[in-house]
Amino acid sequence: MNEFRFKVFRKLIAVRGAPGAWQAFYLGGDGKRRPADFIVPGDVGADELADWLADLFHEDAAPGHDSVHRLP
């Protein structure tokens, strides 16, 4: 199963699955994860996740924390 990790402004987020069956999680600094309080729509493709997350969390942007990066 594919997993994509992102640093969304200051939040660490993982999205698992595939279009139509996404599961989102908040990642903790200690390696733990908890289910996210949002749902990724099924029509969002893997290559669109970073842009979609940026749109969703745009209000969390702040100086020095103003971008979304996919993590390795």
Side-chain angles (χ1 to χ4, degrees):
M1 181 173 294
N2 291 328
E3 180 169 285
F4 305 94
R5 292 176 178 231
F6 299 91
K7 186 170 186 178
V8 181
F9 307 117
R10 287 173 275 193
K11 298 178 183 187
L12 296 176
I13 295 176
V15 180
R16 294 179 68 185
W22 294 121
Q23 295 178 306
F25 301 91
Y26 292 114
L27 301 175
D30 57 359
K32 294 182 182 176
R33 61 178 61 211
R34 64 182 172 88
D37 57 356
F38 62 89
I39 296 171
V40 179
D43 63 345
V44 174
D47 59 335
E48 301 171 303
L49 286 169
D51 290 336
W52 187 85
L53 289 167
D55 287 343
L56 181 65
F57 290 103
H58 71 272
E59 292 180 4
D60 293 338
H65 300 283
D66 58 356
S67 59
V68 174
H69 300 284
R70 183 167 173 204
L71 302 174

